[in-house]
Amino acid sequence: MAFNAPVKRNTSVKPLGGTEKAAVLLLAMGRDLSGGLLKEFDPDEIKLVTRAAAELKPISTPELEAIIEEFAQNFSQGPNIFGTVGELEKLLNGVLPPDQINDIISEVLGNKTKSVWERISLVSEGLLANYLLKEHPQTAALILSRVKPACAARVMSHLPPDIRHDLMRRMLSLKPVVEEAMGIIEKTMHEDFMINFARNMASDTYPRMADIINKMERAQMEESLKSLTESRPKSAEILKGMLFTFDDIVKLTAKARMLIFDQVPTDRTVLALKGSDPAFRELILSSLAGRTRRLVEHELSSGIPANQREVLDARRAITDLALDMAGRGEIELNPDQEDQSFFT
C-alpha cells in the first residue's frame, strides 16, 4: 500500500494519502475482487484501510481514474464512491471471521472499550498479576471481571491463595460502576499496557526465555546457555540466575522441599532419585514423610535399574511442579541461604 504522488483535488480539500487510495480501490472493486486482496492483509493493515474507508469523502470519477492510473490498472472510469459502515461490513463479510469484523468496526466507530480489554487479555499473566498486586483489591477484582475468563484464570493462578480467594469474593459482589469511573480505569489500563506495551514486553522477555530454557533437556539447556554466553554474555548471566533445575532443589528451604514432595507420587520420587548423588538423595529423603521415606528407600535398595529417559522425565515433572508452585507464590525458588549448611 505504498503511494507517493497525491491525487489532485480541490485545493481546499486535503489530498488523499496512500491508505485512503487503497480504500477507494477496494470499495470500487467490490466484495469478490477485494475479498481476495484483503486475505493478504495483516490485521493492522485491515484496520488502517477500514478506518480510511469509513472516513472517505465522496470520490468523483476523475479522482478515481487518477488513482487507478497511479496503480497502472486498465480502467477508464468508475462511479462516485463514498464509504459507509454498512458498505464496510459487506466488504469484510465472508473474508474475515465475524468476531474480527466486529472488532474492526467497533474500533473504526471509536468504541475502544472492547478492544482495550481484549488486548489486555493477551498480556502476560505474570505481568498482569504483578500489576494487580499493587492495585486496591476492589480495582483488581473489577479488572479481572472485565478481561477474558481464560486470562483471569491464568492470572489468578499466579496470585497467593489468600489474595486469590479475596478477589473471587469481591468479583461475586461487584456492583455496577458509573461510566466516568469506568472510563478512568479503562484510560489508565490503556496507558499502562497499550501505550507502554513495548516496554512491558521487554521487561517480560527474560522470564519468558527462562521458562523456555527451563523446559529444555539438560544437554539442550547447557548448549543454549553456552551459545548465549558467547554471543550475549550479560543476557546469559541474567538468564542463569532465573533458571531452576532438579539439582537446584538442594538450594530450597526444608519447608519448600517438603511442600513439593508432598505432591509427588512415590514411584516418581523413586525414579527421580535413581543414580543420584548420595548426599543429594539423603537431603530429598529427609524431606519425605516417614512412611513414604521407607517405601522409597526400599525401592531404591532393590537395585532394579531404570530407563534413563524415565528418570529424566520424573526429574522434569518434579522441576515443573516446583516452578508452578513458585508461580503461585507457594514456595520461593531463591530463598536466603540459611538452609544450605548441609552442603557447605
Side-chain angles (χ1 to χ4, degrees), residues 27 49-50 53-54 83-93 105 108:
L27 289 170
V49 77
T50 303
T84 67
V85 172
E87 289 297 322
L88 295 176
E89 290 186 276
K90 290 179 182 178
L91 187 66
L92 297 175
N93 188 31
I105 296 299
V108 168

Side-chain angles (χ1 to χ4, degrees), residues 96-158:
L96 298 174
D99 289 345
Q100 190 171 350
I101 294 176
N102 290 336
D103 290 345
I104 292 172
I105 296 299
S106 294
E107 186 165 342
V108 168
L109 293 175
N111 181 9
K112 304 293 185 180
T113 300
K114 184 177 180 182
S115 177
V116 166
W117 292 113
E118 287 194 349
R119 290 181 184 180
I120 289 173
S121 296
L122 299 176
V123 172
S124 159
E125 54 267 25
L127 185 66
L128 187 51
N130 289 333
Y131 180 89
L132 295 181
L133 286 172
K134 300 173 185 175
E135 294 293 321
H136 187 281
Q138 196 68 14
T139 303
L142 177 60
I143 291 171
L144 285 173
S145 72
R146 293 291 176 138
V147 298
K148 290 184 176 182
C151 170
R154 292 193 301 270
V155 171
M156 282 191 170
S157 71
H158 284 260

